[in-house]
């Protein structure tokens, strides 16, 4: 690659080349996330000034209340929103690359539906279930359904991608129908409570959730970035990828497992927050062109910013009523996305 | 292995090792059902250009894919540097052997330089994402395949022949001792075909690399091949240096082609001229009823 | 070279057998109910109606409309799905991706929730209008994008509009439990509440959609091989897309008006059909119509029988029974 427009280091044991524009966009998105974090800490029923927030964060809270509001409620919640957005976006980006299908998102591997079914069934059938068990249930449900789809789709060779997509469609439809059945024929108040969870919401997130999400992000993301070069080879089609020395079957399985893990941990904490996984990678494509690795980073940042903003808006806009972040994500993300569609040529994964 | 009948008017093959790098031993391969290619044995001569010809559906691509370990063998063995290719780590194979499959499709929007850069995949690692050596190899490959002037354009915007040359550049960037190209000359005009074959021949002769190419243009094959392999119905029907193999009898047997083989007075290479039924040439047009 | 078009795995008798099977399902559908009516009485009532006989009245006035409804909705959604997948060349496409189903839900939720209109003849109309408006919005966005309404742009615009409207529907449901309560069953797709009147005005749209679908089927096969190939084969691609979209919108709007936003059939039946009859849309379209109709007839019977006298929403049963069958098909056929 030429070094014009590149940030590169070509000699020595560590060598790379990165496009400058994409790096700039990435910087902007990360900046946006920081701004969202600060604003989220300021806004709410107990408003704080920017200086108060900074003071609280640096250990000199202006009041007891500020200390509690920032550290107990707003900070972990915002962190959870940002991390969940990033995780779902990464999962979607990986899946779109692996399947070479721009419509792929975490619901294709059954993660959202599995988590949804597990929790909704629990809410409807066993309403006394402690809230604390929901993440566990969601995680289990997500993994179980994802494993079911993989197990059914992966057993034979050849035409793997198409079979994987179609199996995903079939199983997902089945699981969604079960969930709908619970919602439709369960008791109305429980159904509504379940509906709220299904929409994806971070309002219950505390430090344990935020810590868990941030931990997942830190553990799994390096793995995903390590996988970015195989992913790029994978996009060239099966025969070429084998020719380039890629273990195609194993790589596909590993990448899908990774995206399942990413999405499942996010869904476990905040519910099946839809749309980010589908749309964040496309937003990233349309903001700047880049190789696969940088595109992953851009997607993650875009997803984080989207969910962070959605949580902020959903919390503040109709206060004291809180609109689940999942819903605001769609309501907020769609206009942005449509604007991007109208501005730029399609540049599919 | 030495080519059995290299004559003075051909370039001498470069110094050979004892065993050829790529050997097929009774290889049978297919797509899950009955094997398509059956019991093929072949020693691919090193430092030479081997051309695979045969009618459509005769199993050339299947054989190529087997040689590049894309397809698993049903029976027999394919040895790369003396070891079964299926047992070698695939990354290691990719540093020694490059494959250009028939009719590859680039992801939409990918630029030429990015496509060619993919050829460096087997040489990279987590820390060595992109090095000077990679950059140089990509530049050289684009230069050799004559696509440097399109470097920044999306592959999907190029003409069919230009696109084909980008893929060839990708394979060249892989810098392997063995090159397997499945119909690299499709979509290329005759001049570019000739340039490509000269390039491949140069690679084989000067750098001692081993090149296997599937071609449909018989006369191009005859003009450039060191070693000619004729396939039909999943089997090798004739194999050897061009002079020994490229004759009317074999063309009739393998292709069902009725042709006269003459010799180009300049190169001394054989040329086939299909015989056209005199009836077709001379019969006046039959008036419509 | 001329290759005779063989139907993979199907003899020339297959269409006849298919029609016979659907007719049988139709008759069975009518015969099943609170009062079981023998098949031969059903056939008599349909062929020589005698208003003096109680059974005949039940068959023609009460049960025939619902059977017709099931058959029409199934056929309409399956054909619309097949066309969508062919035109966009994406296996994940379905009528819903144009925003048709969510558009219908959204319009109904707004009308019921905000204006408190619950007239059973009005809801279908509202649903149809909502569906068409949403599809119009999707098409508008895609067409305004640089490069025009390429399949990918269309799909992405559809997914976006869909997510947007679905979020609004959920917000409305969360804020207004009353409306949610009223519409819960309708939103999963149900054949129970439809009106004869609605059937009457949906019928022409259904007919028009189906005729157009059959007419463009041959060219959709060409389009499925790529836009350039299609043009090379003499297809006017722009006109073809417009016609196909008209068919999809007409069929889906009619179906959604009759049965609410029923998801599964449009996505999965075409895939199942394709696995069985191959890639030629001249076969896929009519077979999708047959398969969709037959499938929904059988499912509707099951929905009524399964927990009788309680009736389960047909939209749910379609997926619960159909999905395992589909997965099995994928596993054995692909
Ligand atoms: N993916 C596949 N699955 C099943 N059969 C295949 C597949 N690919 C090729 N075949 C069959 O294998 C046989 C040999 O095909 P192959 O592609 O090797 O021919 P070829 O000699 O390369 O022909 P061409 O000159 O047209 O490229 C053909 O009969 C073909 O139908
Ligand atoms: Mg071939």
């Amino acid at each position: 690659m030429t070094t014009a427009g590149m940030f590169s280091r070509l000699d020595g044991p560590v060598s790379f080349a990165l496009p400058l524009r994409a790096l700039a966009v990435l910087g902007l998105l990360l900046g946006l996330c920081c701004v969202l974090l600060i604003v989220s800490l300021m806004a709410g029923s107990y408003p704080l000034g920017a200086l108060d927030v900074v003071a609280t964060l640096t250990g000199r809270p202006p009041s007891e209340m500020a200390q509690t509001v920032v550290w107990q409620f707003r900070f972990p919640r915002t962190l959870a929103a940002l991390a969940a957005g990033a995780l779902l976006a990464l999962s979607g980006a990986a899946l779109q690359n692996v399947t070479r299908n721009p419509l792929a998102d975490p619901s294709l591997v059954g993660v959202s539906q599995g988590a949804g079914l597990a929790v909704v069934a629990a809410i409807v059938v066993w309403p006394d279930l402690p809230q604390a068990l929901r993440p566990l249930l969601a995680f289990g449900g997500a993994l179980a359904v994802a494993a079911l789809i993989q197990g059914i789709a992966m057993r034979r060779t050849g035409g793997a991608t198409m079979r994987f997509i179609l199996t995903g469609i079939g199983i997902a439809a089945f699981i969604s129908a079960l969930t709908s059945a619970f919602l439709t024929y369960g008791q109305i108040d429980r159904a509504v409570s379940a509906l709220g969870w299904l929409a994806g919401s971070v309002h219950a997130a505390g430090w344990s959730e935020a810590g868990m999400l941030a931990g997942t992000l830190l553990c799994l993301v390096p793995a995903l970035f390590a996988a970015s070069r195989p992913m790029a080879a994978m996009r060239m089609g099966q025969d070429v990828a084998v020719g380039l020395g890629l273990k195609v079957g194993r790589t596909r399985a590993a990448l899908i497992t990774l995206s399942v893990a990413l999405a499942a941990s996010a869904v476990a904490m905040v519910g099946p927050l839809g749309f980010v996984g589908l749309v964040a990678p496309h937003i990233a494509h349309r903001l700047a062109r880049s190789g696969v690795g940088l595109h992953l980073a851009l997607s993650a940042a875009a997803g984080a910013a989207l969910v962070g903003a959605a949580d902020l808006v959903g919390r503040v806009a109709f206060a004291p009523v809180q609109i689940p972040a999942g819903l605001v994500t769609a309501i907020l993300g769609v206009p942005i996305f449509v604007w991007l569609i109208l501005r730029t040529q399609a540049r599919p994964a | 292995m030495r080519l059995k009948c290299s004559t003075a008017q051909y370039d001498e093959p470069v110094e050979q090792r004892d065993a050829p790098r790529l050997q097929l031993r009774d290889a049978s391969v297919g797509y899950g059902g009955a094997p398509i290619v059956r019991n093929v044995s072949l020693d691919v001569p090193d430092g030479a250009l081997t051309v695979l010809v045969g009618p459509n559906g005769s199993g050339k691509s299947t054989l190529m894919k087997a040689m590049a370990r894309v397809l698993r063998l049903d029976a027999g063995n394919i040895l790369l540097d003396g070891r079964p290719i299926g047992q070698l780590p695939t990354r290691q194979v990719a540093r020694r052997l490059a494959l250009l499959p028939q009719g590859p499709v680039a992801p939409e929007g990918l630029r030429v330089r990015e496509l060619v850069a993919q050829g460096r995949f087997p040489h990279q690692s987590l820390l060595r994402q992109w090095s000077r050596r990679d950059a140089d190899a990509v530049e050289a490959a684009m230069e050799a395949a004559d696509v440097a002037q399109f470097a920044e354009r999306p592959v999907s915007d190029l003409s069919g022949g230009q696109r084909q040359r980008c893929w060839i550049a990708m394979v060249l960037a892989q810098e392997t001792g063995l090159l397997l190209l499945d119909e690299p000359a499709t979509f290329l005009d005759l001049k570019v075909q000739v340039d490509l074959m000269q390039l491949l021949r140069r690679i084989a002769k000067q750098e001692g690399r081993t090149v296997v190419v599937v071609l449909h243009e018989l006369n191009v094959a005859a003009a450039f091949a060191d070693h000619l392999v004729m396939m039909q119905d999943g089997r090798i029907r004739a194999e050897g240096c061009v002079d020994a193999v490229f004759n009317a009898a074999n063309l009739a047997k393998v292709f069902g082609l009725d042709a006269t083989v003459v010799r180009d007075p300049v190169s001394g290479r054989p040329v086939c001229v299909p015989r056209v039924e005199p009836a077709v040439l001379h019969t006046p047009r039959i008036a419509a009823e | 070279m001329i290759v005779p078009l063989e139907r993979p795995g199907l003899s020339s008798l297959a269409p006849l057998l298919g029609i016979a099977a659907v007719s049988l399902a139709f008759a069975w559908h009518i015969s099943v109910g609170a009062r079981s009516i023998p098949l031969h009485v059903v056939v008599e009532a349909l062929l020589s109606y005698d208003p003096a006989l109680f059974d005949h009245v039940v068959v023609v006035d009460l049960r025939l409309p619902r059977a017709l409804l099931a058959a029409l909705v199934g056929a309409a959604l399956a054909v619309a799905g097949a066309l969508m997948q062919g035109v966009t060349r994406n296996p994940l496409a379905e009528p819903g991706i144009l925003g048709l189903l969510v558009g219908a839900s959204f319009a109904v939720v707004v009308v019921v929730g905000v204006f408190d209109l619950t007239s059973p003849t009005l809801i279908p109309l509202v649903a149809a209008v909502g569906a068409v408006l949403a599809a119009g919005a999707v098409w508008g966005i895609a067409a305004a994008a640089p490069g025009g309404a390429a399949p990918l742009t269309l799909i992405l615009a559809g997914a976006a509009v869909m997510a947007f409207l679905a979020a609004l529907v959920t917000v409305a449901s969360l804020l207004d439990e009353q409306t949610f309560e009223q519409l819960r069953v309708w939103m999963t797709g149900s054949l129970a509440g439809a009106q004869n009147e609605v059937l009457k005005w949906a019928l022409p749209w259904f007919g028009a959609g189906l005729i157009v679908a059959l007419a463009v089927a041959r060219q959709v096969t060409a389009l499925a091989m790529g836009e350039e190939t299609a043009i090379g084969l003499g297809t006017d691609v722009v006109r073809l897309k417009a016609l196909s979209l008209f068919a999809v919108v007409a069929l889906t709007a009619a179906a959604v008006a009759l049965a609410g936003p029923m998801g599964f059939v449009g996505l999965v039946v075409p895939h199942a059909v394709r696995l069985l009859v191959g890639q030629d849309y001249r076969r896929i379209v009519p077979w999708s119509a047959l398969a969709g109709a037959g499938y929904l007839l059988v499912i509707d019977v099951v929905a009524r029988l399964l927990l009788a006298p309680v009736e389960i929403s047909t939209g749910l049963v379609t997926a619960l029974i159909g999905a395992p069958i589909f997965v099995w098909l994928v596993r054995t056929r692909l």
Side-chain angles (χ1 to χ4, degrees), chain C:
Chain C
M1 187 169 59
I2 297 162
V3 183
L5 277 175
E6 280 293 334
R7 294 185 165 84
L10 291 173
S11 78
S12 54
L13 275 181
L16 290 179
L17 288 178
I19 292 170
V22 172
S23 310
L24 196 66
F26 195 79
W28 185 44
H29 185 280
I30 292 177
S31 79
V32 171
R35 174 188 162 88
S36 189
I37 299 173
L39 275 183
H40 66 93
V41 181
V42 173
V43 175
E44 273 169 31
L46 292 180
L47 296 182
S48 54
Y49 176 59
D50 180 356
L53 291 173
F54 179 63
D55 273 354
H56 283 204
V57 176
V58 170
V59 164
V60 171
D61 283 0
L62 297 178
R63 298 202 183 157
L64 182 61
R66 177 153 177 172
L68 222 49
L69 183 68
L72 286 187
V73 168
L77 288 175
V79 169
L83 281 188
M84 276 304 288
Q85 288 162 6
V87 171
T88 61
R89 265 172 282 142
N90 193 313
L92 292 179
E94 46 151 342
I97 206 111
L98 275 184
L100 285 159
L101 302 184
V102 216
S105 300
F106 179 68
V108 169
V109 166
V110 166
V111 167
V112 173
V114 179
F115 303 108
D116 213 17
L117 293 173
T118 46
S119 143
T121 41
L122 205 60
I123 287 190
L125 190 66
V126 169
V129 170
V132 173
L133 285 183
V138 171
W139 178 256
I141 293 173
L152 179 66
T153 322
L154 193 64
I155 284 174
L156 288 176
V161 169
M162 215 162 80
F164 189 70
L165 293 179
L168 288 182
V169 169
T170 313
V171 170
S173 314
L174 285 174
L175 295 180
D176 180 3
E177 292 186 13
Q178 199 65 44
T179 310
F180 172 57
E181 168 70 50
Q182 281 175 12
L183 294 175
R184 276 205 290 178
V185 173
W186 184 85
M187 288 208 285
T188 61
S190 165
L191 297 173
Q195 306 279 309
N196 287 1
E197 238 167 283
V198 182
L199 193 58
K200 258 179 229 135
W201 67 250
L203 211 53
W205 289 108
F206 173 78
L210 191 61
I211 289 171
V212 173
L214 286 169
V216 298
R218 190 180 59 82
Q219 290 165 310
V220 174
T221 309
L223 193 59
M225 291 187 286
E227 206 143 303
E228 284 155 18
T229 317
I231 295 173
L233 293 172
T235 309
D236 180 345
V237 171
V238 176
R239 207 187 57 148
L240 171 61
K241 280 186 188 166
L243 281 175
S244 308
L245 285 179
F246 163 78
V248 169
V249 171
L251 288 168
T252 316
V256 100
L258 291 169
M262 192 176 288
F264 185 76
V265 176
L267 178 57
V268 170
V269 169
H271 279 305
V273 166
R274 207 171 285 120
L275 290 173
L276 292 171
V277 307
Q279 300 294 331
D280 188 344
Y281 279 80
R282 276 174 302 178
R283 287 200 295 277
I284 292 175
V285 169
W287 276 105
S288 289
L290 275 182
Y295 180 66
L296 212 54
L297 281 167
V298 172
I299 287 301
D300 196 34
V301 176
V302 175
R304 284 182 295 156
L305 285 185
L306 207 59
L307 297 180
V310 181
E311 182 183 326
I312 313 175
S313 162
T314 319
L316 293 180
V317 184
T318 48
L320 288 179
I321 295 181
I325 300 177
F326 177 62
V327 170
W328 173 77
L329 263 181
V330 171
R331 252 187 83 66
T332 50
R333 281 289 183 138
L334 198 66

Side-chain angles (χ1 to χ4, degrees), chain A residues 16-322:
Chain A
F16 55 86
L18 297 168
L20 280 176
R21 180 187 151 86
L23 284 178
V25 172
L26 181 62
L28 281 179
L29 281 174
L30 291 177
L32 180 61
C33 288
C34 291
V35 171
L36 280 170
L37 178 64
I38 302 286
V39 175
S40 292
L41 296 183
M42 288 159 54
S45 54
Y46 181 81
L48 288 167
L51 291 180
D52 291 342
V53 165
V54 174
T56 314
L57 288 180
T58 49
R60 288 171 282 108
S63 67
E64 192 71 4
M65 187 67 171
Q67 169 80 4
T68 316
V69 162
V70 168
W71 281 107
Q72 289 301 118
F73 298 111
R74 293 188 189 161
F75 200 16
R77 174 181 177 155
T78 310
L79 214 55
L82 293 172
L87 284 170
L88 290 168
L90 284 171
S91 173
L95 283 171
Q96 288 175 9
N97 276 329
V98 173
T99 59
R100 299 177 94 184
N101 193 314
L103 278 190
D105 76 343
S107 65
L108 183 70
V109 279
V111 168
S112 313
Q113 294 89 341
L117 177 63
V119 170
V120 168
I123 290 176
V124 171
V125 176
W126 190 17
D128 304 327
L129 186 84
Q131 285 262 348
L133 279 183
R134 277 189 194 175
L136 223 57
L137 269 175
F139 194 71
L143 286 191
V145 171
L148 182 67
I149 293 178
Q150 295 308 307
I152 292 176
M154 287 285 177
R155 295 245 307 258
R156 289 166 42 203
T157 51
T161 307
M162 189 63 173
R163 191 171 56 245
F164 169 64
I165 290 179
L166 291 185
T167 309
I169 290 177
I171 303 275
F174 182 74
I175 303 287
S176 305
L178 275 182
T179 312
S180 292
F182 277 111
L183 283 178
T184 311
Y185 298 104
Q187 281 176 26
I188 176 74
D189 52 326
R190 295 182 194 169
V192 169
S193 142
L195 201 62
W197 187 85
L198 269 185
S201 163
V202 269
H203 78 262
W207 273 116
S208 62
E209 280 84 3
M212 212 96 92
L213 285 173
T216 319
L217 202 56
L218 292 181
C219 289
L220 291 184
V221 165
L224 197 61
F225 282 97
S228 68
R229 273 172 338 98
M231 233 187 281
M234 196 91 161
R235 292 200 311 158
M236 315 289 286
Q238 176 141 348
D239 288 357
V240 177
V242 174
L244 291 173
L246 192 71
K247 296 189 189 76
V248 171
R250 202 184 291 179
T251 309
R252 184 188 288 122
L255 285 175
I256 289 175
T257 310
L258 204 54
S259 28
V260 166
L262 286 165
S265 43
V267 165
M269 298 300 160
V270 302
L273 204 152
F275 198 62
V276 196
L278 172 66
V279 96
H282 289 286
I283 291 181
H285 269 303
R286 284 160 195 268
L287 284 178
R289 57 169 304 109
S290 65
V292 172
L294 204 49
H295 171 249
L296 287 174
L298 283 169
S299 305
L306 190 55
V307 178
D311 183 46
L312 177 63
V313 171
R315 186 161 59 90
V316 177
F318 293 98
V321 176
Q322 303 208 347

Side-chain angles (χ1 to χ4, degrees), chain B residues 31 36 55-62 65 102 183 216:
Chain B
Y31 297 91
I36 304 265
N56 289 135
S58 56
K60 303 180 297 294
S61 297
T62 310
K65 283 192 248 179
Q102 187 173 5
E183 300 199 16
H216 272 299

